[in-house]
Amino acid sequence: MQNITGKIAFGGIAIGKIKEISKENNVVRRVKIEDAKAEIARFEAARDQAAEELKGLYDKAVKEVGEANAAIFEVHQMMLEDEDYLDSVRNIIEAQSVNAEFAVATTGDNFARMFADMDDDYMKERAADVKDISERVIRVLSQKEEKVNTSGAEKEKYIIAADDLAPSETIQLDRETVLAFVTRHGSTNSHTAILARTMNIPALVSTAVPKEVNGKMAIVDGFKGIVIIDPDEETLREYEKKQQDEKNRQELLQQLKGKPTVTKEGKEIKLYANIGEVKDLGAVLQNDAAGIGLFRSEFLYLQSDHFPTEDEQFQSYKTVAEVMAGKKVIIRTLDIGADKQIDYFGLEHEDNPALGYRAVRICLDQPDIFKTQLRALLRASMFGNISIMIPMIASVWEVRKVKEIMEEVKAELTSEGIPFKNVEFGIMIETPAAVMIADELAKEVDFFSIGTNDLTQYVLGVDRGNEMIADLYQPLHPSVIRAIKMVIDASHKEGKWTGVCGELAGDEKGAALLLGMGLDEFSMSAGSIPTIKNLIRKSNYAEMQKAAEEALELQTSAEVNEYVDQLLNKIYSR
């Protein structure tokens, strides 16, 4: 058994035999020609035929993956009309008196190298596109049919292994027979990866899969980013169960997609998704989230080797706002410290970082960093429905200081003529201190979002990352759920709303109690949304309220867990 890691292009689990795809290499020879004009005419005829083929691929892609994702083939058609590209081919033919195949290959290599050397990641990916169109024109010139060698596998379902796949090859994959694909090259930003996500094909790129794998049994885990070659029986059984669980989840998703998230009496509940970066948006849309309840903005800092500039942050926030198309996007400001350390911040070692210099404490201590982020957030607010949320609040003065800094930033933007919206402003409730003064905090903000992960560890005094005391970390401990109820009640008293963005929101037991306690918004990993949506639609709200009242009277975590288990069995047995 061999485990090989790769970069995730699209999640999912596939089990089957590997089929190695070998593409015929177009061996392009330099041939002297006598009539340059005739050779240029031959090239232009081939260019026209290639453009027609791309139009056909575009039409096919529109039907299968939608107009937006089919646009890559329009881009390829435009590349075939690019005057710089065409002039280069013509010039090589004329100046060197060489055949069109050689001129196209040379131009393709030159332009691909030019794109690959650019700093911008998007432009780097265009290197693969220009090579794809050049190979298409060369194939037409050589009068070869477009094909990928998969002989002997027409009816068999299989996992494709290849050095790389062009977008045109990806869109032509037979989804009835292709379980997944794994490539040795490529990146998660390529059009091929984007198409894989849209076509719901589990895919890994940049994997070191050996060449001698044809016909071997394999598992592609698109959630963890691994390929398992020749899995043993135990691993196979484990993944067969995971695959079935994922299939059940997908079926549930399809049944619920587009349906309202309401209880049996019609009470509407907001189900939002937690994300860490822009590339998570695909899962948000796929799982039918009503919005984003937590965008962990610190990932922009964690993935960088420098403080992200205002424009770098603005572009990320703007993209998320635009893609969500008016749906709520709650962006948490920088939450660095504790278990999220960044070298260039120069933070000193702390004996107890979870209780130390982190989150809003850093932002208030280093306002220049904070102001840069707030400027980017406010600028991005013009492109969607952005809310700003501050983590790790423990006192009223912190909230007021943040609001004071935000007003300074708004004044700066106004003086510079930069537009922004008056965004909704909220805080995270993660500390026992915030719970105890929630009634006062509610007067200062528009909403609360309870971070149950940190709140649980602080209330119980249990380090959630310490395996030695893992059994003591109990999210349904009576003290934790009573604290949550206090926060919800305090916000409602002031006419404000409360959400949960910790793991408890995506857990069926936790969600059942939170629903009964009157929680307004649940935010979770996107993959948990169908399960919680199903639970809410099967629930009677009045019954859940009564159940929550009874659970809040229990004395131990074991009693709460047993009680909620019985409640869930009752709901699902109806």
Side-chain angles (χ1 to χ4, degrees):
M1 188 167 75
Q2 183 180 10
N3 286 20
I4 302 165
T5 59
K7 294 179 180 177
I8 301 167
F10 186 70
I13 292 172
I15 303 172
K17 289 184 179 180
I18 293 180
K19 170 58 65 173
E20 177 75 30
I21 287 184
S22 58
K23 292 189 276 187
E24 290 184 17
N25 292 323
N26 288 312
V27 179
V28 178
R29 293 183 173 84
R30 180 188 180 110
V31 178
K32 275 288 195 181
I33 53 101
E34 299 297 330
D35 189 342
K37 287 185 179 179
E39 196 67 12
I40 290 173
R42 193 168 76 91
F43 157 67
E44 291 178 345
R47 189 271 315 263
D48 292 343
Q49 183 178 330
E52 280 298 310
E53 290 179 359
L54 287 167
K55 185 178 182 303
L57 285 175
Y58 172 78
D59 293 339
K60 174 182 171 64
V62 167
K63 294 175 184 175
E64 297 192 5
V65 297
E67 191 168 343
N69 293 291
I72 175 56
F73 299 111
E74 283 190 319
V75 172
H76 281 198
Q77 290 178 65
M78 290 168 61
M79 283 182 171
L80 282 177
E81 296 169 1
D82 182 80
E83 286 302 321
D84 291 328
Y85 180 89
L86 298 177
D87 285 346
S88 175
V89 174
R90 293 175 186 132
N91 179 64
I92 291 172
I93 292 172
E94 287 182 334
Q96 301 180 35
S97 297
V98 293
N99 55 321
E101 289 91 338
F102 181 81
V104 172
T106 302
T107 297
D109 287 344
N110 290 341
F111 274 63
R113 194 176 304 113
M114 176 184 68
F115 282 121
D117 288 341
M118 290 184 177
D119 293 330
D120 185 85
D121 286 340
Y122 177 83
M123 297 308 293
K124 283 179 183 288
E125 293 306 325
R126 304 297 67 78
D129 294 330
V130 77
K131 288 183 75 173
D132 190 16
I133 64 165
S134 297
E135 288 174 3
R136 178 173 294 278
V137 174
I138 291 169
R139 179 185 49 73
V140 174
L141 285 165
S142 304
Q143 297 184 329
K144 293 181 179 177
E145 292 184 8
E146 183 175 15
K147 62 182 180 179
V148 176
N149 182 14
T150 57
S151 59
E154 287 79 3
K155 302 298 181 183
E156 180 185 4
K157 293 190 175 184
Y158 52 92
I159 295 168
I160 286 179
D163 286 338
D164 205 353
L165 289 171
S168 56
E169 293 164 334
T170 307
I171 195 63
Q172 294 181 86
L173 293 176
D174 182 355
R175 280 183 277 180
E176 297 298 317
T177 58
V178 175
L179 299 170
F181 73 74
V182 179
T183 64
R184 298 179 183 90
H185 307 295
S187 80
T188 56
N189 297 316
S190 69
H191 282 300
T192 297
I194 293 168
L195 286 171
R197 290 194 279 273
T198 308
M199 296 165 70
N200 291 323
I201 298 176
L204 300 181
V205 298
S206 193
T207 62
V209 173
K211 293 281 188 178
E212 304 77 26
V213 292
N214 197 49
K216 289 188 176 182
M217 180 60 71
I219 297 169
V220 174
D221 186 335
F223 299 117
K224 292 184 177 179
I226 58 174
V227 186
I228 304 172
I229 310 293
D230 289 330
D232 57 32
E233 285 299 319
E234 183 180 351
T235 303
L236 202 56
R237 285 195 298 272
E238 174 191 343
Y239 270 93
E240 284 171 348
K241 183 181 183 304
K242 286 183 179 181
Q243 190 178 47
Q244 185 59 48
D245 290 344
E246 176 62 14
K247 182 182 178 183
N248 294 341
R249 193 187 72 80
Q250 289 295 334
E251 289 175 353
L252 179 62
L253 172 61
Q254 293 307 314
Q255 293 169 15
L256 297 177
K257 199 160 189 179
K259 294 182 179 178
T261 305
V262 293
T263 63
K264 285 185 173 294
E265 306 96 316
K267 179 177 175 59
E268 185 176 359
I269 303 294
K270 298 180 179 69
L271 289 191
Y272 292 170
N274 298 339
I275 67 170
E277 48 193 321
V278 173
K279 72 178 184 180
D280 296 336
L281 287 172
V284 174
L285 300 178
Q286 181 188 9
N287 287 280
D288 208 23
I292 292 171
L294 171 62
F295 180 178
R296 301 179 177 94
S297 68
E298 59 271 14
F299 277 79
L300 298 176
Y301 297 77
L302 287 163
Q303 294 171 351
S304 179
D305 59 1
H306 63 278
F307 287 102
T309 66
E310 179 183 325
D311 281 339
E312 286 172 338
Q313 294 188 60
F314 165 71
Q315 288 298 333
S316 291
Y317 305 145
K318 173 177 175 283
T319 298
V320 174
E322 287 178 333
V323 170
M324 293 308 294
K327 294 179 180 178
K328 189 182 292 293
V329 176
I330 302 174
I331 300 177
R332 179 175 71 187
T333 56
L334 180 63
D335 190 9
I336 291 298
D339 58 341
K340 289 171 283 192
Q341 298 290 326
I342 301 176
D343 289 342
Y344 61 82
F345 268 73
L347 302 181
E348 295 182 8
H349 171 75
E350 297 180 78
D351 290 335
N352 196 345
L355 299 178
Y357 190 60
R358 58 175 294 196
V360 71
R361 298 167 184 176
I362 292 177
C363 291
L364 293 181
D365 189 50
Q366 302 187 51
D368 288 346
I369 296 173
F370 194 32
K371 283 185 173 182
T372 297
Q373 181 172 35
L374 291 176
R375 283 179 62 94
L377 286 166
L378 288 170
R379 286 173 56 196
S381 69
M382 293 300 295
F383 298 88
N385 183 12
I386 284 178
S387 300
I388 296 176
M389 179 167 71
I390 313 298
M392 199 61 186
I393 291 294
S395 62
V396 172
W397 77 262
E398 288 172 322
V399 178
R400 290 175 178 167
K401 185 62 179 176
V402 168
K403 290 165 72 175
E404 182 184 314
I405 293 173
M406 192 175 294
E407 289 305 312
E408 291 175 8
V409 171
K410 288 179 179 178
E412 290 174 6
L413 292 173
T414 300
S415 67
E416 295 169 28
I418 298 173
F420 59 88
K421 293 180 183 177
N422 285 319
V423 300
E424 197 177 30
F425 173 74
I427 60 173
M428 289 193 68
I429 305 293
E430 303 167 274
T431 66
V435 173
M436 299 307 294
I437 58 170
D439 54 343
E440 295 299 321
L441 292 171
K443 297 172 184 176
E444 302 286 337
V445 301
D446 298 313
F447 67 93
F448 290 153
S449 185
I450 304 172
T452 54
N453 302 348
D454 269 338
L455 181 62
T456 300
Q457 79 166 346
Y458 292 141
V459 167
L460 299 180
V462 175
D463 180 357
R464 60 191 174 109
N466 189 332
E467 294 182 5
M468 294 176 65
I469 52 175
D471 290 345
L472 299 179
Y473 183 82
Q474 299 165 354
L476 294 185
H477 191 285
S479 62
V480 177
I481 60 175
R482 290 174 194 174
I484 292 171
K485 179 61 173 169
M486 285 176 62
V487 174
I488 295 171
D489 290 346
S491 70
H492 288 176
K493 186 177 178 181
E494 292 296 326
K496 310 297 171 63
W497 63 269
T498 293
V500 162
C501 60
E503 294 298 315
L504 199 61
D507 173 79
E508 283 184 286
K509 291 183 183 181
L513 281 181
L514 293 171
L515 176 62
M517 287 193 282
L519 190 74
D520 304 290
E521 176 256 341
F522 296 65
S523 190
M524 63 203 72
S525 62
S528 299
I529 289 174
T531 300
I532 303 305
K533 187 173 187 176
N534 185 46
L535 168 65
I536 290 170
R537 287 177 59 86
K538 287 180 175 291
S539 297
N540 179 295
Y541 187 59
E543 177 187 27
M544 301 303 277
Q545 286 180 303
K546 185 174 185 301
E549 289 175 5
E550 293 177 356
L552 286 163
E553 296 298 319
L554 299 175
Q555 304 299 311
T556 68
S557 298
E559 290 174 346
V560 175
N561 275 279
E562 183 180 355
Y563 181 86
V564 180
D565 277 336
Q566 292 173 358
L567 175 65
L568 291 174
N569 287 335
K570 181 179 177 182
I571 291 171
Y572 287 124
S573 63
R574 286 200 285 252

